[in-house]
Amino acid sequence: MSALLTGIGTRIAERWLQTVVLAGLLWVATAVVAVRLGHSHPFDVGRLSAWLDQVARERAGRSASAVLLTVAGALLAAGAAGLATGALGGAFQRLWGASGAGPPGSWIQRWRLDRRRRRDERTRRAVARSVTHRGRGGRLLLAHAGRAADRRRRTPRPTGPTRIGDTFLGVASRVERRYGLELERAWPRLWALLPEAPRADVSGARQAYDAAARLAGWALLYTALAVVWWPGAAIGTSVLATAVVRARDAAELLATTVESAVDLHLTDLAGSLGVRADEDASALARGRAIARHLAERDGPGDP
């Protein structure tokens, strides 16, 4: 047991060092550069080099304790920044997964629906123009309009304020439509039954999604540096764009792995809960039987 706890503690420490301290030290270094250069000299490398030389000369005659205190302060600042990004990442996850039941989510959803209608209308007009044109130009217009129409058909209709929310709401809707089962209620029981391989797939997808959310938190911290150093806004914007792209990919992977787990292990869940169903019962009938069992056990008002 002691060896197990030691191994777990080592892995936690390594993960904390990689995801929090190193990224935090990079942000602390950027913050120091931002404060020293300011808006007036945002890329003056010579000014920064001269300041570093001055700091090195001043610190050379000081005791080792002063150096250790400086290092400890930098590590504490990095850890604090990492904790802040964790909290900001959680806020981003709540924002991305919002259902749009009330403002401002409903306003954003309405704006997305209006934008989709406008794009669909432009696509229809492009198809109509391509049909009326003859020759090579008309064929190119028709091909371009056809590709745009295919992309629109593959893109699901907005059901929430964000595309990530559409992904999560979509998998919950498909599970309910296919099995008559509320995913939020059934998932904790199903997760306890999953074998090691699908559990690892779901965990890996969730870790990637969490990492993307933390990266979005770092983007806000870098953007905050724009108060004293305007390039911080450009850095924060690029980091946020990268975080959103990664979050969308991770959300797609997470939704796919969760849906696959439901498809492959629904029978195991029914057996574990003691829900009896005929051998030739459809998946929908089995799922509805599980839903009734969970409703009777938890009560209709419980999540």
Side-chain angles (χ1 to χ4, degrees):
M1 179 61 70
S2 61
L4 176 63
L5 293 177
T6 301
I8 293 175
T10 301
R11 287 194 295 271
I12 292 176
E14 291 176 352
R15 184 172 180 81
W16 184 79
L17 178 65
Q18 293 173 359
T19 60
V20 175
V21 176
L22 294 181
L25 287 175
L26 179 61
W27 182 84
V28 169
T30 306
V32 172
V33 171
V35 172
R36 293 304 307 175
L37 296 183
H39 294 300
S40 57
H41 306 84
F43 304 112
D44 193 345
V45 179
R47 182 186 182 94
L48 182 62
S49 178
W51 175 74
L52 291 175
D53 291 339
Q54 179 183 357
V55 170
R57 288 193 300 268
E58 292 178 353
R59 296 293 188 272
R62 296 194 176 185
S63 62
S65 60
V67 176
L68 291 176
L69 287 175
T70 302
V71 173
L75 291 175
L76 288 174
L83 293 176
T85 57
L88 292 173
F92 270 104
Q93 289 186 10
R94 290 189 293 273
L95 174 64
W96 290 337
S99 61
S106 59
W107 301 338
I108 299 175
Q109 181 182 357
R110 192 179 305 113
W111 171 79
R112 294 184 68 211
L113 289 171
D114 291 341
R115 186 180 64 169
R116 182 183 178 91
R117 281 193 292 268
R118 289 194 297 269
R119 288 183 175 179
D120 290 342
E121 182 63 27
R122 286 197 297 267
T123 301
R124 284 192 292 268
R125 291 177 181 175
V127 172
R129 286 197 303 269
S130 64
V131 171
T132 59
H133 286 74
R134 294 182 179 181
R136 185 172 180 271
R139 290 194 298 270
L140 290 176
L141 286 174
L142 182 60
H144 177 73
R147 287 193 297 268
D150 290 338
R151 286 195 299 269
R152 301 307 298 166
R153 282 193 294 268
R154 289 194 299 268
T155 304
R157 184 177 181 273
T159 56
T162 66
R163 284 178 53 182
I164 296 175
D166 293 345
T167 300
F168 292 144
L169 291 173
V171 66
S173 176
R174 288 192 298 272
V175 168
E176 186 171 4
R177 184 173 61 252
R178 189 181 305 151
Y179 303 114
L181 190 63
E182 186 180 351
L183 181 60
E184 186 177 359
R185 174 173 287 181
W187 179 250
R189 280 89 170 179
L190 184 61
W191 171 255
L193 298 175
L194 289 182
E196 182 177 356
R199 184 188 287 259
D201 292 339
V202 175
S203 298
R206 180 55 195 260
Q207 290 174 6
Y209 183 61
D210 293 341
R214 285 195 302 271
L215 186 62
W218 284 115
L220 290 187
L221 289 189
Y222 278 106
T223 304
L225 298 179
V227 175
V228 295
W229 188 56
W230 65 261
I235 297 174
T237 302
S238 60
V239 172
L240 182 59
T242 303
V244 170
V245 171
R246 291 184 180 180
R248 288 175 177 174
D249 293 340
E252 291 283 353
L253 180 59
L254 181 58
T256 301
T257 53
V258 168
E259 189 172 2
S260 299
V262 175
D263 293 337
L264 297 176
H265 299 280
L266 185 66
T267 303
D268 298 336
L269 178 61
S272 178
L273 293 175
V275 176
R276 297 182 179 181
D278 298 335
E279 292 294 334
D280 56 349
S282 65
L284 179 59
R286 185 175 291 108
R288 286 176 174 173
I290 294 174
R292 287 193 298 270
H293 178 81
L294 295 178
E296 292 172 359
R297 172 180 293 184
D298 298 341
D302 294 340

